[in-house]
Amino acid sequence: MPALVESMMYVREKPWHGLGTRVEEAPTSGDALRMSGLDWTVVQRNIQVCGGAKIKNYKANVRDSDGSVLGVVTDRYKIVQNFEAFEFTDSLIGGEVRYETAGSLNNGRKIWLLARLPEREIVGDKTEPYLCFTNTHDGSGAIRVCMTPIRVVCNNTLNLALGTAKRTWSVRHTGDMQSKMHEARICLEMANAYMDELSQTADRLANTAVPRDKLGETLDEMFPITEDSTDREKRNLQKLKDEYMVCYFAPDILKFRGTAWGAVNAMSDMISHNAPRRKTVNYRENNWGRIMDGHAMLDKFVSMVA
């Protein structure tokens, strides 16, 4: 994945790959655009075969700064420039958005912005809501937005699938300011709806008792060892359970121990902070996907203890 990070800026803490421009305070959009290396635009060019004939109905998306071809799209494709993506997030709360990270992946084919919203309290814990925006210039995906609430005390990502509030959604992107503000209001409403339902879900889970024997049964069901399991599989599954219990007895969730909310936070901690068993070449990409789409293991666990 480090090779996939082309450019980025980040606030305070150095990311895992050590790349990017570090800044002390989260900048506004103009500075973030420049610091993250996203101050370039995309233009569309005709595509020609070797003989010079034009290929109909298709265009090449080309970065103007260096001529890199980012993707081939149909002639109906609408480009969303990087500065437009920043303008959209600025319009969320009147230009007071602050950017924690921003950058490009895959040589500019995908860009992202991570914007911090005002702090909230979830069952007495300070929680920082973030909106993560991604856009592609190669035609592979739409503009997507996801909620990534972080528990401040331990940096656990509370990225849970909820009943009615969406965790991830797409937005339209138009040059018309009135339409842009309308989309921004809808986006902010969905973010607030997610945080409101997360608060209600957390309160319910914090008041749901999960005694140790029930927790043990849940872990056995979550990581089942069967007669057909090999010795290696048994060791790996037991190691997962042991790692979970280490997280469960961490000091930061002491006040929630014995509840479903404490159990969920322990699973979130284990998933967020433990390295995978196999560090495949694309495991960082998979982690990025889980930021946008959530983690299936965490969602399953929540459904089991809720």
Side-chain angles (χ1 to χ4, degrees):
M1 180 80 172
L4 298 179
V5 178
E6 181 187 44
S7 65
M8 70 173 289
M9 74 87 191
Y10 59 92
V11 177
R12 294 180 294 274
E13 295 185 17
K14 181 181 290 188
W16 47 266
H17 47 66
L19 302 176
T21 301
R22 182 180 184 275
V23 295
E24 288 297 329
E25 295 185 5
T28 54
S29 60
D31 289 335
L33 188 71
R34 175 178 51 82
M35 292 174 178
S36 59
L38 295 177
D39 50 347
W40 42 266
T41 57
V42 179
V43 295
Q44 289 189 334
R45 304 295 188 198
N46 292 329
I47 305 174
Q48 295 178 325
V49 296
C50 294
K54 175 185 171 183
I55 299 178
K56 295 182 179 180
N57 303 322
Y58 286 91
K59 301 281 187 179
N61 281 353
V62 178
R63 180 162 52 184
D64 66 347
S65 60
D66 60 3
S68 296
V69 176
L70 305 180
V72 175
V73 298
T74 68
D75 52 13
R76 297 188 304 273
Y77 182 89
K78 177 177 172 55
I79 296 173
V80 178
Q81 301 293 355
N82 297 339
F83 71 86
E84 291 181 300
F86 279 93
E87 285 179 355
F88 177 80
T89 49
D90 276 352
S91 64
L92 280 173
I93 46 179
E96 294 302 318
V97 175
R98 290 296 180 268
Y99 298 92
E100 293 290 299
T101 69
S104 65
L105 301 168
N106 288 332
N107 297 317
R109 292 179 178 87
K110 175 180 286 188
I111 70 145
W112 85 92
L113 324 171
L114 188 66
R116 183 179 54 180
L117 299 179
E119 190 177 87
R120 300 276 293 264
E121 278 204 2
I122 305 293
V123 288
D125 270 353
K126 290 182 178 180
T127 304
E128 291 183 339
Y130 291 87
L131 282 175
C132 183
F133 294 77
T134 64
N135 184 37
T136 60
H137 292 303
D138 60 1
S140 63
I143 305 165
R144 298 181 66 205
V145 187
C146 82
M147 287 297 303
T148 55
I150 306 291
R151 229 179 122 220
V152 173
V153 68
C154 59
N155 287 333
N156 276 358
T157 302
L158 303 174
N159 196 2
L160 311 182
L162 302 177
T164 58
K166 291 185 178 181
R167 170 170 61 196
T168 303
W169 60 92
S170 298
V171 296
R172 292 180 300 172
H173 214 304
T174 65
D176 180 272
M177 182 55 68
Q178 186 174 358
S179 297
K180 186 181 297 183
M181 292 300 293
H182 175 70
E183 289 292 318
R185 283 193 296 271
I186 292 175
C187 190
L188 193 57
E189 287 170 4
M190 296 186 77
N192 287 331
Y194 182 91
M195 292 304 298
D196 289 343
E197 185 166 336
L198 177 62
S199 180
Q200 295 171 21
T201 299
D203 187 66
R204 177 173 56 82
L205 294 178
N207 287 283
T208 301
V210 179
R212 282 289 303 278
D213 58 344
K214 171 67 182 304
L215 181 60
E217 293 172 3
T218 302
L219 290 175
D220 289 340
E221 186 179 350
M222 186 83 182
F223 308 114
I225 297 175
T226 67
E227 294 181 356
D228 297 329
S229 299
T230 65
D231 290 341
R232 183 175 186 178
E233 288 171 339
K234 291 176 181 178
R235 287 194 302 270
N236 288 338
L237 289 168
Q238 186 58 50
K239 188 174 182 182
L240 281 172
K241 296 177 185 178
D242 293 342
E243 289 174 351
Y244 173 85
M245 293 309 298
V246 170
C247 296
Y248 182 75
F249 285 104
D252 62 270
I253 59 172
L254 177 62
K255 63 181 178 180
F256 300 121
R257 196 171 297 159
T259 71
W261 186 239
V264 167
N265 270 274
M267 182 59 70
S268 174
D269 191 5
M270 187 184 84
I271 291 170
S272 300
H273 300 150
N274 284 7
R277 297 257 174 290
R278 291 174 142 189
K279 290 189 177 181
T280 58
V281 293
N282 62 344
Y283 87 94
R284 295 291 188 184
E285 290 180 82
N286 294 335
N287 285 348
W288 173 261
R290 292 180 187 120
I291 291 174
M292 293 301 298
D293 300 321
H295 201 295
M297 184 185 296
L298 181 59
D299 289 342
K300 179 181 178 181
F301 188 79
V302 172
S303 69
M304 294 169 69
V305 300

